[in-house]
Amino acid sequence: MKLKLIIVLLLISTTIFAQSKSKTTSVKWGPELEGSRRGSINDFLGEDNTGYYLTAYIKSDLIIEKLDHNLGNPLIYTYEEKDKETKEKYDLEARRYFSDKLYVFKSNIDRKTKTKTLYSEEINKKTMTATGKLNKITEIQYEKRSDKGFFMMIPSPSDNYMMIVEGIPTDKEENDQFNVVMLDSTLKPVWRKNLQLPYVNSLFFRQNFICDDEGNFYVLGKLYKDKVKVKVKGEVNYTYHLIAFNDHGANKIDYEVKLASNYITDITMSKNNAGDLVCAGFYSKKGLSSIDGAFYLSLDPTTKAVKVSNIKEFDLAFMTQYMTDAQANRTKKRDEKGKDQELAQYDLKTLVSRSDGGAILVGEQYYSYTYSYPCGNSYCTTTTYNYNDIIVVNISPDGKIEWATKIPKLQTSTNDGGFYSSFAMAVTDKKLHFIYNDHKDNLDAEKTKRLKNFQLSDRNGIVVNATVDENGKVTREALLENTETEVIIRPKVCEQIEDDQMLIFGERRKMEQFGMITFK
């Protein structure tokens, strides 16, 4: 079934310039577009000299949308489940912009041979139509209809390689295993290997994969002892393992990440400019629902030698930053009594590698809760989403925390999944920029301690640019006011596309609009 043209141009004019309230940025809006109440943009894929590519959906249709450099004239590719000629059904696995080409990855099932096969198909970027040529990449053999395995596509930073992870169906008590297929920049197989780990499948949980530009790859996983339980007899019952696979998967180095009696609440990994593996995150003395400090680890991926290992507890000044006087006094009294003070419900959002070998951790307070209530003859359910303060932790190359700071934020919404909440981040020279929706009264330093919630219908709504400099100083200023635009920005979809530019997206009801922030 072909998609009707839903996105049409309302304003034929070229780019619109908005008057930014910020002294450090400018904003350029594209034309207003009409979208669909039952559709939206999902994610930014990439760009070339003809435009920008984004994933989206309209009703049940999965699409790729292309915009020109004036942020208008949309072209749409719509994914078709059935091949028009063979009538074969395919499941969409991923949409990717890789090595200057646009692809969809899809799979189909042969029930007779119990085979799940992965294909790639190139999309013509000029016409936004499928070429119709399927490139078979790999296949999985399965036994149970309930578990046919899965595929993951992980590109290297410079698109030298595309790593395909095959999730092989395994029993709970078998050792964890998976297949890896390494493709070159043209999606041709370089090598394929089955890899087994010495950990029982029911106790080891893979959390992250990364692939480097040399074709090596790394796995981060959580291993429980005997049973899947956070604490046993008062002791931490799990460790994290950082596993490096080199030389086409032939060499394996397994490093255990453990913080004595502390709980690792959130962890991520990356590879820094020096070629070292970096593992960093937050920890707690109490459990998994709060954080007490940050940790940092770097090691040589070929020798397993630990270069830097450090752990740092957040100080009281950081803990009480932006609290009301009453809140700060209560916290200080508890601290004086020897009671541990921790920050509740923080998620690690990203790790930024510094050019000198250090790192920056960015976290955000997030939690949601659901309650049911009588609704006629049945019950209705309401879910509330909370996206609050941002924390930024700067770690030096020797693993020491140079500073930690907060950006105060309050975003509470109901039954929308936090559609307009959270933040977008850009890294420019020695500064970090955080773009998010806020209430204009929150810019007042005296009122900041009693934050007002951002409301979609509130004419006091603004878009904030919170800048953190190299010394941890936070400067907040209004970027845009809601009264100036027809749309509300969606930070989760916005993306930094150049060293000094961020592509932003906003929508409200059936109106959609893209814009470009330039950081001066």
Side-chain angles (χ1 to χ4, degrees), residues 358-375:
I360 297 173
L361 294 177
V362 178
E364 182 181 35
Q365 187 183 56
Y366 166 75
Y367 59 94
S368 64
Y369 51 87
T370 300
Y371 69 94
S372 298
Y373 54 92
C375 185

Side-chain angles (χ1 to χ4, degrees), residues 18 26-30 41 44 52 54 67 71 424-426 435-436 463 479-480 485 487-497 501-507 512-519:
S26 63
V27 181
K28 182 177 70 174
W29 284 104
I41 298 296
F44 176 79
Y52 307 102
L54 306 105
L67 301 171
L71 306 177
M425 188 184 79
I435 309 298
Y436 57 90
V463 177
L479 182 65
L480 292 168
T485 62
V487 297
I488 306 297
I489 70 162
R490 288 186 52 210
K492 296 175 186 177
V493 180
C494 303
E495 185 89 14
Q496 183 174 6
I497 60 171
Q501 288 189 320
M502 173 182 283
L503 180 68
I504 61 175
F505 171 72
E507 63 181 305
E512 295 182 349
Q513 195 171 19
F514 293 87
M516 191 71 69
I517 299 175
T518 300
F519 301 98

Side-chain angles (χ1 to χ4, degrees), residues 383-514:
T383 301
T384 300
Y385 299 89
N386 299 271
Y387 291 82
N388 299 328
D389 294 354
I390 302 166
I391 60 174
V392 184
V393 182
N394 187 37
I395 303 171
S396 67
D398 59 0
K400 296 179 180 178
I401 294 181
E402 296 182 333
W403 50 257
T405 192
K406 284 184 194 175
I407 300 171
K409 182 167 66 70
L410 177 67
Q411 296 169 326
T412 301
S413 60
T414 302
N415 291 340
D416 70 344
F419 203 65
Y420 296 98
S421 298
S422 198
F423 64 89
M425 188 184 79
V427 182
T428 62
D429 193 18
K430 296 182 179 180
K431 295 180 179 179
L432 298 175
H433 300 272
F434 297 87
I435 309 298
Y436 57 90
N437 292 310
D438 205 350
H439 190 289
K440 68 178 183 181
D441 284 355
N442 292 339
L443 289 179
D444 189 321
E446 293 302 317
K447 296 178 181 179
T448 291
K449 293 182 178 181
R450 295 189 181 277
L451 294 172
K452 291 184 178 180
N453 187 39
F454 163 75
Q455 300 286 343
L456 291 179
S457 59
D458 195 340
R459 297 181 64 83
N460 291 312
I462 58 173
V463 177
V464 170
N465 173 27
T467 301
V468 182
D469 69 14
E470 59 185 315
N471 298 313
K473 181 182 178 181
V474 178
T475 304
R476 292 176 294 153
E477 55 184 358
L479 182 65
L480 292 168
E481 293 187 1
N482 286 358
T483 54
E484 298 175 340
T485 62
E486 296 294 327
V487 297
I488 306 297
I489 70 162
R490 288 186 52 210
K492 296 175 186 177
V493 180
C494 303
E495 185 89 14
Q496 183 174 6
I497 60 171
E498 300 290 346
D499 290 343
D500 62 346
Q501 288 189 320
M502 173 182 283
L503 180 68
I504 61 175
F505 171 72
E507 63 181 305
R508 180 187 278 184
R509 300 184 181 92
K510 288 188 177 182
M511 185 73 71
E512 295 182 349
Q513 195 171 19
F514 293 87

